[in-house]
Structures are given as C-alpha cells and as structure tokens.
Amino acid sequence: MMLEDLTMRQILRFSPDSVRPERAAVLALQGMSGDIEPDPRLDAYMDKALDLLGRLCEPSAVYQMVSMPEFDGVFRGSGLNEVRTPLAGIYPHAQAMALFAITLGGPVSRRIAELFEADDFVLGYVLDAAASAAADRCAEAVQEAFGGALVAAGRVPSSRRTLRYSPGYCGWHISAQRGLFDLLKPEVIGVTLGKSLLMEPLKSVSGVLVCGEPGIHEFKNAFPFCGRCSHRTCRGRR
Amino acid sequence: MEILASIVQSLEEGDEETVSELTREALGQGLKARDILDKGLIAGMNAVGVKFREHEVFLPDVLLSAKAMNAGMKHLKPHFAKEGVPNIGKVVLGTVHGDLHDIGKNLVSIMLKGAGFDVVDLGKDIIPEAFVDAAVREEAGFLGLSALLTTTMPVMKDVVDLVKKRGLSGKLRVIVGGAPVSEDYARQIGADLYAFDAASAVDRLKAAVGR
Ligand code: B12
C-alpha cells in the first residue's frame, strides 16, 4: 500500500545541482550546436549564469496518476486538438499515466528580467537559456521519478518506458492546460495558470507522463505540423 | 578616419573597453558625434549583423557587440542632448496582453537600436489601446508586437484592427513576431510586416524605411 501511494501523487523537490543543464544544451538554445566553439568570453558568462542558476532556482515538481477516462477528458480539452496527433495514438496503449508540472520558481525569472533592465543583457540572455534548459532537465527528472516509482511498486516491469508530452506541442492544443490544472492542482508547488493559459513562474512545464512498452512511443514525424516544428529529431525520443 | 575603422573593428569584436576608449578619443579629435555614430558604431553593428546572418557569429556574440555599442553611446549621448539621438525610424515595441515572455522582444529592441532605430519599449502584457496610444504619442512609424503562445496571438489582430479603426493604417505600420507567429498568420490578421528573428526584424524595418 505504501508503495502504491508513492506512485499516486507526489510532490518532489530537487536540488539545483540535479537540474544543472549541460553546457551543450544551453548553447543549443542559443543557436550554437555541434562543434561550434563559443567565444571564451561567452564561456565566462556561461559559468556566471550556471552559478546564478544554482543559487536562484528552486526546482520542484508534482505528479498525480490519472485513469484512462480522466485523461481522455484532459486530452480532449476544449476540442481544439489537431485531427491527427501522435499522442492520440500513444496514450491508449499506456499502462500508467500521470499528469505533472514542474517549475524552477520565481526568483530566477525575476533575475533575468532585472539583468535586461540593467542592460546586462548578455548575462540575462545566457541565464534565460540556462534556465530553459534546466526546466527541461527538471521535467526529465520527474519523468524518471514516476517511471522509477512504478517499477519499484511492481506496477510495471523495468523494461517499460516513460515519456512526457505537453499541451501546446505536437497538435495537442494548449487549452488542455485548464483540465490538467483542475485535476493536478500544481498550485501546491507555486505554479498558477493565467487567463491566457500562461503559467507562472515562466520557467514551468506541464504535461502527461505516459508509461508503457517502449514501442508505443514511436511514431513517424510526418504529421502536418511536423513540417513547422524546429525539433526535427523529436527531442527526448531516443 | 582611421579611428572610425578601429571602432568598427572593436565593435565587431565586442570589445567594450576599446570601443568606449576609441569613441572618447574620436570626440577628442573633433569628429562629429553623428559621424562616430553612423560610420563607427552603427557601421560596426551592421557588419556584425551580416556575420550573424551568415552564421559566422551567434546571437550572444551580437549581444557582446551591442554591449560595446552601449559603451560608446554613453560618450555620444550628451552630444545629442538637444536634438536627441539621430535615428532612422521610431518603433514602439511590446509583448501583447496576456503574455509575459519578453526575452525575444528585448532582443529585437537591442538589435533595432544597434541598427539606428529609436525604440520605445513598453514592456509586457500590453493592451491594444496602450500600444496605439503610445505609438501616437511617440509619433512612431512602427508598432512591434511580440507573443510566445498561440493563445495570446489573437491580441495582435486586435491591435491591427485598432490601428485601422483609428485611421492610422499606412502611417503606423505593424510588425509582428514571436515563436508561434508566422508570415501566414501576419498576412491573415492584416499586419504590415513579419520577421522570424531579431536580425530579420532589422532587415524588414530597414527595407521599410528605404535603407
Ligand atoms: C525554451 C522554451 C521553453 C522553456 C522556457 C520558456 C521561456 N521562454 O521562458 C520552457 C521549457 C520553460 C517552456 C515551457 C513551455 N512552452 Co515552450 N518553448 C521554448 C522554445 C523551445 C524556445 C523559446 C525561447 O526561449 N526562444 C528564445 C527567444 C529569444 O526567442 P523568441 O522569444 O522566440 O524570440 C525571437 C523570435 O521569436 C523573434 N521575435 C520575438 N518577438 C518579436 C517581436 C517582433 C516585433 C519581431 C519582429 C520578432 C520577434 O525574435 C526573437 C529573437 O530572435 C519554443 C520553441 C521555439 N523553437 O521557439 C517553445 C514554445 C514557445 N513553447 C511552447 C509551449 C506550448 C510551452 C508550454 C505551454 C508547454 C507546457 N505545456 O508546459 C510551456 C509554457 C510555459 C509557461 N510559462 O506558460 C510553444 C508555444 C506555442 C503554443 N502552442 O502556444 C513553442 C512555440 C513550442 C512549439 N510548440 O512549437 N518553453
């Protein structure tokens, strides 16, 4: 029963170190990928930004398991999804699902704004990219936590794969945020949803964690919206 | 004139200290502030812009140069105190109502200033009336609107409609941008211009003012 509970609803606090992004990920968000060598001065800005991030970010997450019918409702949202979406073909095969939200907290976003106001925009920009990459790592951490808890509770074999999907991506309309927030109540970790469906703090991510056979996550990225997407390789879908 | 070439070069290198020193020196040599601005600082930023488009340098490098430009501007500004810093056009810029993302908009502002535009940044979460009122008050030729979510993009149409309603079409041109915004969307809502990123915003607006 204890273990079962662990998989139902969890609030997690991560250490800033555990979401510290790889330099390459931060550079990629600044448009520098592959073998590009940044200017040494930018390395110094990177060090400073990562240091600031370590001091300012307060990474936390919440997840809560949902049943298939519950998620059907969240997924449908206001009925604005694209006609064909990858997720519609994935989640019906899930063995377990959880809604999740993560945030880095308010202070890091406030510092980014202050840096731009003070015309310290190089550091502001690098810190913004570092925080975006950290938010992504935090989402990855909650994904691992949920997947791990399912295995530990004996609910799924360790060969299962858990991946995250977010409203606003891949044809899943962002209006699903409303239903997601109603069920998950991420206000407990300080994440609120505005009228325009913007989450505050800015460096926050929401979505669903889908656990199942690895094959269920595979899809050909040939949907109409894939053509307009910059993540040609579908990040995280290794 | 050699000193202007040195300013251009130091600016391209994003060397804040040297740009600052050289600008002061150029003023000391009796060069006109206007020439130092046009043939030194702005010429340097233009050169950086070309390298950026050709993927020789990246956005953070451009920002290093913009910082160096600011260091030079500190010396020039007092010389323009009376008539204001000369510019090639005025842009009122902001993130639309309901949206709080402003990094992209800030970058557009920095790059437009680097190209010689006068930018009035209203900030974020700006309602259509505030955009149009500010543009009229500032006698701006352009309104720049930023949005990062599809849910806030419709506010851009409200601004375009308000510009028309106030009879400002043609005089006040609207340029839109932000991650989910596209050329198609801009056309659909009747915006005058669209740019994919800060560097192309500079190109589009320069073309619009005939530069
Ligand atoms: C990094 C990122 C994040 C980060 C940080 C977000 C932030 N900005 O702080 C994190 C991981 C936290 C995140 C979260 C989310 N994100 Co996000 N994110 C991105 C990503 C990959 C890059 C955004 C960015 O920071 N770019 C860097 C800045 C500098 O660029 P920019 O703001 O776009 O500005 C440039 C241009 O757009 C242009 N520009 C901007 N303004 C203007 C104005 C004018 C006048 C002009 C001419 C040009 C112009 O010039 C700028 C400089 O070159 C984009 C996809 C993409 N490739 O753009 C998605 C994207 C913005 N995210 C998206 C979504 C859906 C979300 C979430 C809702 C997902 C979720 N359910 O959790 C959340 C929302 C967060 C919230 N607070 O509500 C969607 C938004 C579209 C939509 N469906 O509404 C995008 C477009 C991805 C997609 N689906 O294609 N995100």
Side-chain angles (χ1 to χ4, degrees), chain A:
Chain A
M1 194 60 208
M2 265 299 286
L3 282 173
E4 178 91 348
D5 277 344
L6 256 179
T7 60
M8 293 301 285
R9 180 175 172 91
Q10 277 289 301
I11 293 173
L12 306 161
R13 312 265 170 214
F14 299 105
S15 71
D17 254 1
S18 64
V19 301
R20 187 184 163 98
E22 300 282 341
R23 293 172 97 86
V26 183
L27 289 173
L29 277 171
Q30 298 172 57
M32 289 182 267
S33 42
D35 45 11
I36 291 160
E37 273 290 320
D39 184 296
R41 285 168 299 175
L42 293 174
D43 273 338
Y45 275 108
M46 175 80 86
D47 290 338
K48 222 167 156 184
L50 290 175
D51 177 55
L52 266 178
L53 183 69
R55 282 190 278 133
L56 295 170
C57 84
E58 299 162 352
S60 57
V62 56
Y63 71 75
Q64 180 173 314
M65 274 185 84
V66 278
S67 65
M68 197 60 79
E70 273 174 326
F71 188 68
D72 284 337
V74 173
F75 180 65
R76 215 178 302 117
S78 319
L80 296 169
N81 294 343
E82 301 270 345
V83 181
R84 286 176 55 243
T85 67
L87 188 53
I90 294 169
Y91 82 80
H93 305 290
Q95 278 177 281
M97 282 188 287
L99 301 178
F100 78 95
I102 67 96
T103 186
L104 296 189
V108 66
S109 290
R110 278 198 291 279
R111 179 60 66 89
I112 293 164
E114 283 162 15
L115 287 167
F116 272 92
E117 271 157 33
D119 269 347
D120 199 351
F121 43 74
V122 188
L123 184 57
Y125 177 66
V126 180
L127 181 58
D128 183 74
S132 291
D136 205 41
R137 283 216 54 186
C138 192
E140 200 170 305
V142 70
Q143 173 181 294
E144 277 164 21
F146 178 60
L150 287 172
V151 174
R155 294 179 72 117
V156 299
S158 60
S159 59
R160 296 298 177 264
R161 177 137 200 244
T162 302
L163 278 182
R164 60 191 186 279
Y165 300 88
S166 289
Y169 278 83
C170 306
W172 185 14
H173 196 265
I174 193 170
S175 56
Q177 288 276 60
R178 281 198 199 93
L180 191 154
F181 267 66
D182 283 347
L183 272 179
L184 180 65
K185 300 185 177 50
E187 291 80 3
V188 292
I189 55 160
V191 181
T192 57
L193 189 67
K195 256 205 235 125
S196 62
L197 305 180
L198 180 87
M199 290 182 283
E200 274 199 279
L202 280 183
K203 301 297 178 192
S204 302
V205 177
S206 66
V208 63
L209 303 166
V210 178
C211 175
E213 301 255 13
I216 70 165
H217 298 289
E218 275 162 31
F219 65 87
K220 272 210 186 108
N221 51 357
F223 290 85
F225 44 82
C226 295
R228 301 189 297 268
C229 176
S230 51
H231 301 310
R232 292 302 164 97
T233 51
C234 293
R235 224 155 25 122
R237 293 173 35 78
R238 291 172 282 266

Side-chain angles (χ1 to χ4, degrees), chain B residues 16 26 37 48 76-77 82 85-88 114 116 149 191 211:
Chain B
E16 214 176 323
L37 177 64
V48 177
L76 297 186
K77 271 194 182 143
K82 263 193 240 133
V85 179
N87 64 73
I88 59 170
L149 292 179
R211 294 284 177 140

